[in-house]
Structures are given as structure tokens and as C-alpha cells.
Amino acid sequence: MRKRWWVAGGVALLLGMGAGTAQWWSSQAGERALVRLTERLDAQPGWQASRHEVEHGWRHSSGVLRLAADAPAGHAPFDIVLPYRMRHGLLATRLDGEIELPRMDESRWQTSEAPTWHATYRTLTREMTGRLVWSTATLRGEAASRARLGAGELTLSGHVGDVRYHLHSAPSRLTRENGGILSGELDVQGRFRGDARRFHHTLSLSLAELRLLGGAPFALENVSHEADIRLDDDALHYRGEGRVGSVVVGGEQVASGRLALSLTDVDGEAVRTLIAHMRDQAVASAENDTVAPGTVDWERLTPVLVALLQDSPRLILSSLQVSSEAFGVDSRAHGEMMLDGDDLAPLAARSVTTPAFWRHLQRRLNGRVTLRDAPPLLSLYLGLSPDTSRLEFRVSQGEWQVNGQALRW
């Protein structure tokens, strides 16, 4: 009997030591994950990330994460403060906190409660899930401009190199003296796999409405967009589809439409060079007081943009559909366009800001587009018989034809 108690006590002791070791290891793993996250944020151009008031324990930790953005010349600094609390479990670490904007003037930024967030880091798989929630907020700007941002939430899940996200927001409104814009309920979700050099990004967006306020009444309703974007060693590839359920003018539905297209053969290394160039430009603008915000060095950017064309990019119009009962239109189109990437030196010798650049670029355009059930008014405008229902657009070295006739824009 005594022997059994010794065995049971030994097992209990081993289990306790194992649990304690697992608890210590979990707390260390959670702390290291937060350190890595801070370092990654700090490495992002235009941002500085640091931690303060750090208290680390086996079961509980706390601190303050501060993110500061480089402000362009003439603009006030902007930073975000994230007080956080961590609870270390055997297999996961849980974090939660609020978001503070210490430099935001309370007379300009008003909200019923501060945004809150919480996250879970799983020790064994290194996966993280997080959720950010915010309430309706009002931002007052210059003169009579005012923005009302709808309440919403953002969720993230996954690990470095594979992240899923889902954003949902209530309607928002931007008003000015002469009008404004109303953005309806918004839902965006997607997945990003890879890094800045190679990635695969899929997303789906839906917007209940986009309405102009003041002036002529105009709105787009039931807008959606789906996209698949991939950057590999060789090229950037895009495939997308957009829909507009209703185009409303003066309270009346006048049209609806759908567009599906893809872009291929955009040189991959040139895309990476362009991204790096634009990032460096943004950092230089923030650090140099003599450079106006948003300034672009077009002379240096021209050869970078030209390099995108070296594989002869193709834009493929898989489907275009426009329907309107009000105007008796139900037209469909498909086609393909290509920019010739041979011998780019003459194009690169011209600045992208000059008309000569765009004339030379136009002469590199080749392709065709077929439009079926064309509106009679369009056929008449193009100099064809109004009962011409099929239009064949062709372009060769920048010269356009429609149904075999020269097209004059």
C-alpha cells in the first residue's frame, strides 16, 4: 500500500514538474513571439515600433507597444499606443488591450469607446488569431468637412507567410460644404501567402452602396469584386471579376454590369523594383523637410515603369456585360490587348511626363475587342449603320479600326 502511494506521489510530482516546465516554456514562447512581432513592425519603412513598461511573469505579462509613423514635412507626428495584457497557458498565450491615439485632438476625433483587440498565440503551431473591434467615430476636418466612420471589426488568423483576414464595417459618410459620399456596409475577406518578393493574394469585396450626396443624385448598389493576384519569380498575374447590381440615377435604376479580366506577363523583377522604389520615395519624403508630401521623381521612375513591359504584358477581357432596360441595352464584349515589349530603349529615353512618351507607348498597342448586341446609338456614332449589332475593334501599332474601317476618336 505504501509503495502505491510512493508511485502515485512520484507520478504527481513528475506531472507537476512537467506542467511547470510547459508553463514556463509557453510564457517564454509568447514573449519571443511578441518580440519578433515588434521587430518586424519596426523593420517596416516609415514606422518605428518599441515596447515600454514591460513586466514579464510565468502566468501574466503586460506592457505598452508604441507605433510611430514618419510624418511628411509640415504634418504633425502620428503614433498609436497599444497597452496590452498577456495570459500564458500551457498551450497558448492570450493577449488583449485597447488602442490609444495620444496625438489625436479630442475635439476633432470623437467615439463612444476606445477600439479594443484580443489575440491568441498557439505555442506549438505558432499560429495566431486576432480580432479588432471599433465603435462608430466622428472626425471633424477643415472647414465644414466631417467624416462618420461606421463601427466594425477586423479578424486575422494564421502565421507568418500565410494570413487570412476578414473586415466588416457599417456604413460610413464623408460630408463637405457642397456634398459628400456615403459608403454602405462593407465586407472584405481574403488570404495572403508569401512575402514581399513572392506572394499569392486572393480577396473578395462586397459593398452595399456608394452614393453621392448633394448635386445630381447618383449611386452604385450591390458592388462586388473578386481578385486573384500572384507574384512569382517571373511575372505578376492578376485575375478579377467585378459586378455592379444597379446604377441608380435620380432614384431610378438605369443599368447593371459585370466585368471579368486578367493581366499576365508583367515582369516580376520589375514589379519588385517598382515596389522598392515607391517605398524608398515615401521614406525620403518623410525624412526630407524640403520634399513636398506625395512628390514623385518621375525621371527616376520612368525606366522602372518601362521595365514592366519587357515581357509584353497582356490584358485579357474575358467578359464585359452591360444591361439596361431603360435604354434597351444588353451588350456583351470580350477581347485581348498586348503592349509590345521589344526594344524598349526608345521608350525609356522619354520621360513618362511627356506627350512623346505616351505617343510612343500607344504605337506599341495591339489587340482586338468584339462587342455583341451593340447599342444602335453607338454604331451610329462610329459611322456605321444603326442596325450593326456586332462591332469588331482592332488595334495594330496604335491604329484603331472598327469593322474594317479606320476609327477616329
Side-chain angles (χ1 to χ4, degrees):
M1 187 72 176
R2 181 183 297 178
K3 192 172 185 179
R4 292 180 186 173
W5 281 108
W6 275 105
V7 172
V11 171
L13 179 61
L14 289 175
L15 290 175
M17 292 176 62
T21 301
Q23 179 71 58
W24 173 84
W25 181 65
S26 178
S27 67
Q28 294 298 313
E31 179 68 18
R32 287 194 299 270
L34 190 56
V35 170
R36 288 193 298 269
L37 175 61
T38 305
E39 291 174 346
R40 290 193 183 97
L41 292 173
D42 191 56
Q44 296 299 312
W47 288 91
Q48 294 85 44
S50 58
R51 288 199 303 157
H52 308 271
E53 305 174 26
V54 177
E55 295 184 4
H56 182 226
W58 275 33
R59 292 186 176 275
H60 298 88
S61 300
S62 63
V64 176
L65 176 63
R66 180 181 294 272
L67 302 176
D70 293 335
H75 289 67
F78 176 76
D79 54 11
I80 303 173
V81 175
L82 304 167
Y84 66 86
R85 299 169 295 276
M86 302 175 65
R87 298 184 300 279
H88 304 291
L90 294 180
L91 300 177
T93 293
R94 292 172 174 80
L95 305 86
D96 62 79
E98 296 182 347
I99 296 180
E100 301 174 0
L101 305 173
R103 297 182 186 271
M104 186 66 72
D105 187 349
E106 292 185 1
S107 64
R108 295 182 57 210
W109 176 265
Q110 296 180 345
T111 183
S112 58
E113 55 187 42
T116 60
W117 61 274
H118 67 263
T120 300
Y121 176 75
R122 304 193 182 282
T123 309
L124 296 178
T125 61
R126 293 189 176 183
E127 292 186 350
M128 179 174 284
T129 58
R131 183 168 178 257
L132 168 64
V133 179
W134 61 91
S135 58
T136 302
T138 301
L139 176 64
R140 291 181 172 84
E142 301 292 336
S145 65
R146 178 175 177 176
R148 181 179 176 84
L149 307 178
E153 66 177 43
L154 170 66
T155 58
L156 300 170
S157 63
H159 53 80
V160 176
D162 189 354
V163 178
R164 298 177 185 268
Y165 59 88
H166 185 189
L167 167 68
H168 185 83
S169 174
S172 299
R173 179 190 296 261
L174 172 64
T175 55
R176 291 180 171 272
E177 292 183 7
N178 300 322
I181 298 176
L182 171 65
S183 174
E185 187 175 3
L186 174 67
D187 191 272
V188 183
Q189 53 186 315
R191 182 180 184 183
F192 182 91
R193 287 168 284 180
D195 53 32
R197 289 192 57 81
R198 301 171 188 84
F199 63 79
H200 185 194
H201 186 190
T202 56
L203 68 89
S204 175
L205 177 151
S206 64
L207 179 65
E209 66 173 327
L210 186 65
R211 185 178 301 275
L212 297 183
L213 305 176
F218 175 82
L220 303 177
E221 297 180 348
N222 299 321
V223 180
S224 64
H225 175 63
E226 294 184 359
D228 186 298
I229 310 166
R230 180 164 50 89
L231 177 62
D232 55 30
D233 290 337
D234 299 323
L236 173 73
H237 308 273
Y238 166 86
R239 185 175 69 254
E241 180 175 332
R243 295 176 182 268
V244 177
S246 300
V247 179
V248 181
V249 179
E252 298 292 332
Q253 178 181 342
V254 297
S256 62
R258 170 182 172 271
L259 172 67
L261 54 81
S262 58
L263 177 66
T264 63
D265 301 327
V266 181
D267 186 78
E269 197 57 41
V271 172
R272 285 183 278 269
T273 302
L274 177 61
I275 294 173
H277 181 89
M278 299 302 292
R279 183 178 61 232
D280 293 343
Q281 285 281 100
V283 173
S285 177
E287 294 177 348
N288 191 342
D289 294 341
T290 63
V291 178
T295 299
V296 178
D297 187 347
W298 291 109
E299 295 297 327
R300 292 183 57 193
L301 189 59
T302 297
V304 180
L305 293 174
V306 171
L308 297 173
L309 310 179
Q310 58 192 0
D311 292 334
S312 299
R314 294 178 180 272
L315 180 65
I316 301 170
L317 178 62
S318 303
S319 175
L320 171 63
Q321 179 179 355
V322 178
S323 301
S324 173
E325 291 186 8
F327 296 103
V329 173
D330 188 13
S331 302
R332 292 169 174 78
H334 67 276
E336 179 179 340
M337 293 291 170
M338 186 268 288
L339 280 169
D340 187 357
D342 291 339
D343 189 18
L344 292 171
L347 183 63
R350 299 166 168 84
S351 172
V352 71
T353 59
T354 63
F357 177 93
W358 295 101
R359 285 197 300 268
H360 193 93
L361 183 65
Q362 180 181 341
R363 290 197 293 269
R364 294 175 173 271
L365 183 63
N366 299 280
R368 59 175 180 78
V369 174
T370 300
L371 176 63
R372 290 186 172 88
D373 299 321
L377 187 61
L378 176 61
S379 299
L380 191 63
Y381 173 79
L382 295 174
L384 302 172
S385 170
D387 59 0
T388 305
S389 63
R390 180 185 177 98
L391 300 179
E392 293 280 354
F393 296 90
R394 293 186 180 274
V395 56
S396 177
Q397 298 181 349
E399 298 295 330
W400 285 85
Q401 291 186 340
V402 57
N403 289 11
Q405 302 179 20
L407 179 62
R408 306 299 179 190
W409 297 100

